[in-house]
Amino acid sequence: MLLIPGSDTEEAGEVTLRFKWNVALAGASSDATGALSPAEEVIPSDEPEEGDDGDPNELHISVLGAKDLQAMDSSAFGMGTKSSDPRVRIEVGSGGKFLKEKTETREKSLNPVWNEKFTVDIADPEESITLLVEDVDFGGLNDFMGKITVPLHSLVDKEPVRVWKRLGNKSSKIDSTGRGELEILLHWRHNKTKKVERTEDGGGFGSGFMNLIGAGESSDEEVDAPERVEAAPKSAEEIEKEKAEKEENDKKLKEALGDIEIKSGDYQIQVHIIECRDLKSEDLNGLSDPVCYIEAFGQKQNTKVMSQCLSCVFDERFIMNFRNVDKEKFEDGQIKITVMDADFGSRNDMIGSFVLDASRCYYRPGHEFYREWVGLVDDTDVDDAGIQGYLKCSISIIGPGDKMVKHDEESDKKMEKEREEKYGINPAIPPTIKRENLYLVTTVYRAEYLPVMDQNKFSKSGIDAFVKCEMGSASKRTKVETIKGDRGALNPVFNAEIWLPVTVPVMSDTIRYTMWDEDSGPQGNSLVATSTSKFNKLNADSNKSTPPHWVDLYGAQINGYELGNSLKKKDRDWKKHYNMYGTNAPHYRGRMLISQRIEKEAPEKNGEKRAAEPFRRKIKKDLKLSQLPLTDSYKVRAMVVSGTEIPKFRKSIGIGPPRKMQVKIQCGKNEFYSDRVENNNGVCEWYQMCESEDFKYPKDLDMCPDIIVSICKGKDTEIVPVAYKRYKFRDVVEGNFQNDCEWITFAEDKALDMLEDGQFPGSVLIRLGAGKSKDADMTYQEWDEALKSSRQKSAYQLRMHVFQGRSLPASDANGLMDPYFKINFNGMNINTKNKSEMKNGREVITTPSMIRKMTLDPLWYQTFTFDTQLPDPQFFPQVNFQLFDWDGMLDADDYAGCFNAVLTEKDIVDADAMNGMNPPEPKWYPLMKEEDGDCDGEILVSLQLMKKIRPEMQMPKIPNIKPSTRPAFVEIIVIGCRDLQPYQFLNLQFPKVEFSIDVADGKHELSTMNSKRPSGSNPNYLERIVMEVQMPDKAIFAPPMNIKLSDNRLAGMYKPVCGTGKVDMTPKLSWCPDTYVAPQKSGSEQDVRSQSGAIAMGKRKPKSPSATQGGIEEGGVPAADDAESSSSPVSPLLPPEMKSAIEEKLLEEDTGAGVFGALKHVNSPPPKEVGAMVEEKKDDDAPLGAVTTGPKKNKWFGKASQGPTDEEMIKEIAELLADDDDGKRYMEGREKIPEELECQLKTTPFETFRFYRGQKADRKEVGLLKGLIRVVQTKEELDACPFDLKTLLKPQKYTVRLYVLRGLSLMPMDVSLFGGPAKSDPYLRVNVGDDVFDDRKNYIKDQTEVDFYKCIELHTELPGAGLLEIEVKDYDEWTSDDLIGKTVIDLEDRWFDERWKLMGLENKNTAADRLRWATKPLETRELFIPTSHSPQGSLECWVDIMPTSEADMFPIDDITLPPSQVYECQLVVWRARDMVSMDALEDMNDLYFTAWIEGAKKQHTDIHWRAKNGKGSFNWRMKFDVELGHNTMAMKFPYLHIQAWDKDIFKYSDCIAEGLENLGDFFNRAYKKGEDVECFKKRNLPKELESARFRKMQKDARQKIEEEKRRETMSQLDLDPVAEEDVEMDVEQGGGGGGEGGGEEVEAGTEGADRKSSLGQEGEGIQLVPMGSAGSDGAVKPKNKGVVKALSERGRAVSKVVSMKEIKKNQKADFKKKQEIQKEKQKKQAQSDADETDKLIGSVKEYIGMGEDPPNSKWIKLMRKNEEGVVEAVGEVAISMIIIKKETAETNPNGFGRADPNQDPYLPGPTGRLSFSLNPFSMGLQLLGPALFGKCACICCVVFVLVVGYFVAPFLNIVLTLMK
């Protein structure tokens, strides 16, 4: 724009000027032209330069000048001005391999001008430019003045860059030292006349040498760089849609995960290896020797080896404990299960593996995989595609605060069996999901700005870098690239492709990339940094690839480690931790450029298919610059205002003022510093704005490195970041330089460990911004004005009202402290340790010492003032509160914690308006040391900030901040102390409890009497104490009540404090409804039952006239008065259709068995049918089981309808048999809960207050106080005590019965011979008070799943020693026994809890022959040890508490397990068919079979030599002894394994195939019924089903009657709440007939009484009766058939007499029907005779070997995997089996094989075997087989003809000659 002087118009026109640099000065560039190239114009031309369309290959460097350089030379004799003789050394490339030049020296100048230009040909963007300014001295000992490093990739846009750059230190880092600036002009352009190739060497000889001897790897094949997949640009709508979808998916994921959160802490991983199926064969004989290896977080364990099988049972459980696991480590962890084939003397072969991310398992319901089948895959062998076998396992993870998930394994196993029989093995990844073998291909191009790992004083430092890629079990690394130089030059080029085989779907999703520095020393390679990504995210991408992108690396600091700090004992290696998990690491360690893609197939190698193993390839050419991520220009700006609680550091000698501190801001390789300022008692004031230079990073903000703000000590090269705070670059950029100032709290760099334990790292008020350079320039003025306003201050007075503290951390040995505090604000501080003075305007106020002796809940109620000058509210400083424990004159006070309160504009009030104003509402501030939550305690404080009109104005008076109060009564019901720990190695002798509360009207103190009854460790006090005190109106001011436990020793001369505790009174003020919590009440009985989980019945409905006069009450049974009028002899409990069917049969066939004879012909309905009928709508007056409507068709007899299929009947019989009688009579009516009972009760009748002793880390719990505390306002409320004090305060003797059933998942405590974990030898130790039960002599050897089944009876007084301690210990013969785990039950809380008393009360029975105590729930209690938060196992148990006077009357429940029994399983292998021939040449097998049952040894048949046509005959008996019982191996895994083998003489035998048969149903029948079982015998299924259904019907009827009894009992309790004694009396009177055969115990006069039935029918009625009673099939029948006695369960049976005349009358009426039935019987008998004849004939045929199929046998299919990995059938074998008791087998023995005695069944000799013959043709046919024998015979015939022809030919010639 041109301006014309004197003209009114300022703008007269424009002109464009172009300037060129004239370098016709001394020391000009080496160009002959004497002028710079056109490319170096300050304002470049708008026209494109020639040749600008290619990658840059020519670099122009112009050194223009410098300013403000350091003066390095002093003048003579110290006179004159200091100066320097600067020159610039230029190096391009590592070590100057491309260019090494220097400028001329400018003598005695601190602002020199050079204007020199240098040109170099270079095309590699990974190189850098180094410019070093030095002061030239005589003799060549030049002084360093500063250094700049510029990476070439920052110039790839081919634009000239002219810039002033600050000189850095020897590492090119900008620090607080002012070294001046250097002006340079750089232009990297493309010159098409030059062809410059990139260099491929990574550092010359060093790199090649390391690759040759260090890695020992072969050279890589070279390939072209992969083409970048360019995604189409997305519209704004698509971007918005993707964002919405992502938010929706994140929301759904959050909802699915619920409250699941991974935390740092202790973790426990439990792995249960159950069994394997269909494994791949690895041995030459077609089998494997499988063994499982479990790996997790560095621990490795393994199962035992199973020999020669493809399906096997392990049933081994492994428990791994991990202490102090970081969240990052857990999220990165994996659980790997590998099934190997064990080979002796050689390396094990992999069968398959299963890898699972620990986080993936943790996010599942229950944090577990439970009894799931998983497919095993082998990624290491390309030939092993698909599933290599199946593994059933459970994996459970228990994290901080988690509970073990309990399962009912018995029901789960039943469901599994049904599912597997119906669908087969259904793995976690179903077979229907196709598994693919893919390759994850990662291209590692290069890395930048790596740290110097190899520091050498005698040569250049550098790094020997390589990258390792891992996923699952596959890993591969690049070659080593050795780079020397400073950090800016450490940019290794890898250009390598890493191919990892992956089988999808994957269970391990994490891809891990690690950068390493190779070291040949004893410590091995050094980890530089780690980065991770997710495979499934990559696989879900449409292109299944990512373009080249930068991955930032973070880790620990490189330098700054002090020797003293390195020798400190630390809980972990934090340096290694930061390098492994960089998420929260304090230091930027560079970045690497990678791309990822997924390939379906690997390229061939030398024309052959590759093995499925990781491999590496070399990329021929580098990426084009256009393929690199797009970049943009950014700036980072920080306004550093002030800091509080900044750590203080002094010089090593420990004297002198604290070191100056500065703030460092780093974003990748760009970093800048604030000034170093004084640390004034922890306060630093900078008031400074710092800004980085322009730097280029990717446009994708997720690729940009984080911004790290650090507080640093030291200067120059000794700067050390002490603490840090990290920000995501995107988060800061999105603020667009509009972020507000904020107080940030630093985190300590734990690797450097510069701070003392517990020291606060400091806070800084900072404003941080980042974004594009143009945005930074636009906002600079606004930031500058804000900074100026921060220096403008006004007068304020801060009033800090300190009210009280609570739950402060104990610092003294007695568990207390003597607290006082310091307040720091804006450079001022107040120390309340001593008396101090402060000003309130002109008024001087003296404050006393604030030390409060021996308390954790001090009251201060003091106001402190600070008159100060403060800036704008956004720059307000923090108020720092520090708490200390006073330790007297001889010891230093202990720092206990602090908090920082942030002042805002809302806290400002006008000073003139303060008169008469109360202080603002206080707030509780939690204390901290290093970070939030690491310290106990809170301080109640409020803040007022008053702005002064004048600095010296008179301020309002300080108000009284003590709260208003009201009179109240504090009632303390003291029951006693429990589980008091010894003090000074002695048990407490005569303890007492002291209570004190410090309120507005003074301190109130009361105490109990000293007591040692029943013992000093569990003293009872049984006192009621009342204090009359003044309590505050507001709950927030409620003072805590302090509790002190003291002992009386040496006749009262020594009274030590043995423990302290406190009671929070905030929730006890009834006049504060927002915080009040009522004392624990028993509540109404209705609420009690509903909370306890017991049956809670509502009020019974009013009885209708029909119900009260002969009907049935709703849900009840028929009234006894109505029985006589009933016309039917069948119980009205039965459904009508079944009832009519039984009546019909009774008339048709009267055998004297009554109803049971009729039931023999009844086809009972399936359970679903019965349920449907019962669920139909009932009339109020109808009997139980009766329905108003229903189908008329008779369903109950087989002739009327088609029955179910055989499969359905077998399934139903098994279900009914399982439910028939499991032997657990003690579980009838008993609830089973999967957790502790306390989890359901939630609250307890008493409050417990814990005593503590010790300080800091040594503070521990030493007992508890049990009682109840109330605060009431009136005496009337005081008299309304929630307990009956007479009963409560009078101890009674009680008997405690602890029933322990099982120990589950117990921690293994023993060590194996090889150092790994073994199992445990557990036993129980139980005590309550002084009564101890120790079962050490009955320890159980080598078990972690233990069957205890013991009842332990102990005695105690309640209230009294009420803690029942249950310990599970591990027996050790030579050392002390180890504690596996412990659980504690509070008996007092249970006995005095009405909810617990009512649990199971409906099942209590006082009848003489059915005595039973109330059925308390069976609970599962977790076991713990003091040193771990993870459960160490669990116990199934329940507890009965009863008065000792009643204990003798009620017998102990019999919970002993039924004894295990040994059975002999006689397996007969009859014959085989369709067997595949293993000897292909002969087409025959030398066939034999092996078999075994789980828990028994293998046995084998004899050999059928030369078995042909796939057939074999054996008739061979095997005998296995199996133990059947609770949890025996045969019952848990009832598998019969059968293997077919081909015997080979001169080599290993071949396994042809393998079969598996489940014998579970047969074992159950044999064990539960105690009978012999012929396994595959044809069954009379309808008859079995009849019997099973009838037994089930009987059991259901009993349960219905018992249920009615329970309902009546609960209804009575509901109607008439009475005392406990009355309840028991009601139970005795109304529930006495609770057992079988209890009919005599019902109401008097019921038996034989005339009653009327609600059915309205005439006749006598009968009831279902128990088996073996007078009316059952097994009982002796009365001669009079018309008399049938009926008994019902639990006293509801009524005797009936059936009229003989009535029955005969009905029989005559149906005479014709009887004749038809008789004919049907004759037909059935004839058919039965024919069946017997056929059976006899079949037996004779079988005896002589002519039978078709063996009797009662089953053909078992034999399976094996083909070459494609598909399981197929390859033959069958016929077997039969008999299961008989061992005693029976010994009485009537059978021989092995076919040896005598040979009976039941008789085994004839096998047929089709090899037989000796003198006929060579016959023997040849048998030995060689038909095919081979035919071939051999043909060959022999031909040879014979030739031989005969040869010898006969001369004679033929003679004959022919004679004939001629």
Side-chain angles (χ1 to χ4, degrees), residues 126 228 397 612 791 865 1064 1143 1353 1376 1554 1644 1744:
E126 299 310 310
R228 177 176 178 177
I397 301 178
R791 299 189 179 99
T865 62
D1064 184 10
E1143 290 171 350
E1353 188 172 277
S1376 60
E1554 193 174 51
I1744 63 177

Side-chain angles (χ1 to χ4, degrees), residues 1067-1068 1076-1082 1244-1245 1247 1268-1271 1282:
K1068 296 188 177 296
Y1076 176 64
V1077 178
Q1080 304 300 332
K1081 296 181 181 179
S1082 59
T1244 59
E1247 296 175 301
L1268 187 66
I1269 297 178
R1270 295 191 304 155
V1271 179

Side-chain angles (χ1 to χ4, degrees), residues 60 358 515 855 1366 1539 1637 1813:
H60 298 266
M515 180 72 70
T855 180
I1366 310 170
Q1539 293 176 343
S1813 174

Side-chain angles (χ1 to χ4, degrees), residues 673-745:
Y673 296 80
S674 71
D675 294 336
R676 297 177 68 238
V677 299
E678 298 288 343
N679 187 344
N680 183 13
N681 198 25
V683 176
C684 295
E685 294 184 348
W686 287 279
Y687 293 100
Q688 179 183 0
M689 185 167 64
C690 313
E691 189 176 66
S692 71
E693 298 175 347
D694 289 355
F695 56 85
K696 290 189 176 181
Y697 272 128
K699 286 188 175 181
D700 185 350
L701 299 179
D702 292 328
M703 292 189 204
C704 298
D706 292 353
I707 299 174
I708 305 175
V709 181
S710 307
I711 186 73
C712 305
K713 71 170 187 175
K715 61 179 180 179
D716 299 334
T717 59
E718 297 180 357
I719 294 178
V720 178
V722 175
Y724 68 99
K725 172 80 173 178
R726 267 178 65 171
Y727 295 88
K728 289 289 183 184
F729 191 79
R730 174 183 290 277
D731 295 341
V732 181
V733 170
E734 287 177 350
N736 197 25
F737 290 97
Q738 301 300 317
N739 300 325
D740 295 329
C741 274
E742 63 172 345
W743 282 96
I744 63 172
T745 299

